[in-house]
Amino acid sequence: MKYIILLFGFCGFLFASNTDISQTDFIERVINFVIFVAILWYFLADRLKQLLQNRKDGIINKLNEIQEKIKLANQAKIQANNHLEEAKKKAVEIVSDAKKEALLIKQKYDEQYKIDTENLFKHTESLMRFEQKKAENEAVENVLNRLFQSDVAQHLSNNEYIKIINKKVS
């Protein structure tokens, strides 16, 4: 519509000028052009409108698809962040449990170490007492054997034997 007004404005400008338009075919050409545009508009306007509408609908559909994909991506991101937070909490919990378990195991082995050490000391003490008694018995037996094999043994009394044995053992 703007173009038709501009065209008529241009025609008015030509008539207002001092040139003689009667010797040109400008008016006929303008009329032919207007008729041509009107025919084109009549036959192609609906198709052009339909083409533009289809293009508009296609763009709207693509935009809706992209918005839906963005929405799904945001939901997936939120879900992934939730899983990440849960994983972090679980990792902290696992580390905490591992530290507690390590402490319990350490305490268990410390207690077992103490018990084993005490048992080892008791066993060593009893073994030392046993070896000491064994050594005392061997010393007594050795002294008695020497006494009985010597000539002096025939002249000693039981009390003297006991005194000699106590001296050797001490």
Side-chain angles (χ1 to χ4, degrees):
M1 193 69 179
K2 286 195 269 182
Y3 298 113
I4 296 173
I5 294 172
L6 285 175
L7 182 64
F8 284 118
F10 181 69
C11 290
F13 172 74
L14 285 177
F15 283 120
S17 67
N18 290 334
T19 59
D20 189 15
I21 255 183
S22 61
Q23 295 178 354
T24 64
D25 61 346
F26 179 75
I27 294 177
E28 290 85 10
R29 287 186 186 212
V30 169
I31 293 172
N32 284 339
F33 181 73
V34 170
I35 292 172
F36 176 73
V37 169
I39 291 171
L40 279 178
W41 182 259
Y42 179 76
F43 287 113
L44 296 179
D46 290 336
R47 288 184 190 164
L48 186 61
K49 287 180 185 177
Q50 185 64 34
L51 179 70
L52 293 176
Q53 186 64 36
N54 289 343
R55 179 72 177 143
K56 179 181 169 185
D57 292 343
I59 292 171
I60 289 173
N61 288 338
K62 290 284 186 182
L63 181 63
N64 288 339
E65 288 176 15
I66 291 171
Q67 287 176 343
E68 187 65 30
K69 286 180 183 179
I70 290 172
K71 187 177 180 181
L72 291 174
N74 285 338
Q75 289 175 351
K77 179 183 172 185
I78 290 170
Q79 191 174 17
N81 284 339
N82 290 341
H83 286 302
L84 178 65
E85 290 300 320
E86 289 176 19
K88 285 180 181 178
K89 288 177 184 176
K90 194 161 194 158
V92 168
E93 185 178 311
I94 288 171
V95 168
S96 172
D97 290 346
K99 286 180 181 179
K100 288 177 186 176
E101 190 172 326
L103 181 64
L104 290 175
I105 290 172
K106 181 183 177 283
Q107 289 174 348
K108 177 183 170 187
Y109 279 111
D110 285 347
E111 290 175 16
Q112 187 65 40
Y113 170 74
K114 287 178 184 177
I115 292 170
D116 289 346
T117 305
E118 289 174 6
N119 287 339
L120 186 61
F121 281 129
K122 288 178 183 176
H123 179 67
T124 304
E125 287 176 4
S126 66
L127 188 61
M128 286 174 51
R129 276 182 271 164
F130 174 74
E131 289 295 327
Q132 187 178 8
K133 285 184 183 182
K134 184 178 171 185
E136 288 175 2
N137 287 339
E138 286 177 1
V140 169
E141 187 178 322
N142 201 6
V143 170
L144 288 177
N145 283 338
R146 278 196 277 160
L147 277 176
F148 288 135
Q149 292 174 356
S150 71
D151 293 335
V152 180
Q154 297 171 357
H155 302 293
L156 293 174
S157 68
N158 284 340
N159 286 336
E160 291 174 344
Y161 279 129
I162 291 174
K163 286 180 186 177
I164 292 171
I165 291 172
N166 279 336
K167 285 182 185 178
K168 288 292 184 180
V169 171
S170 317

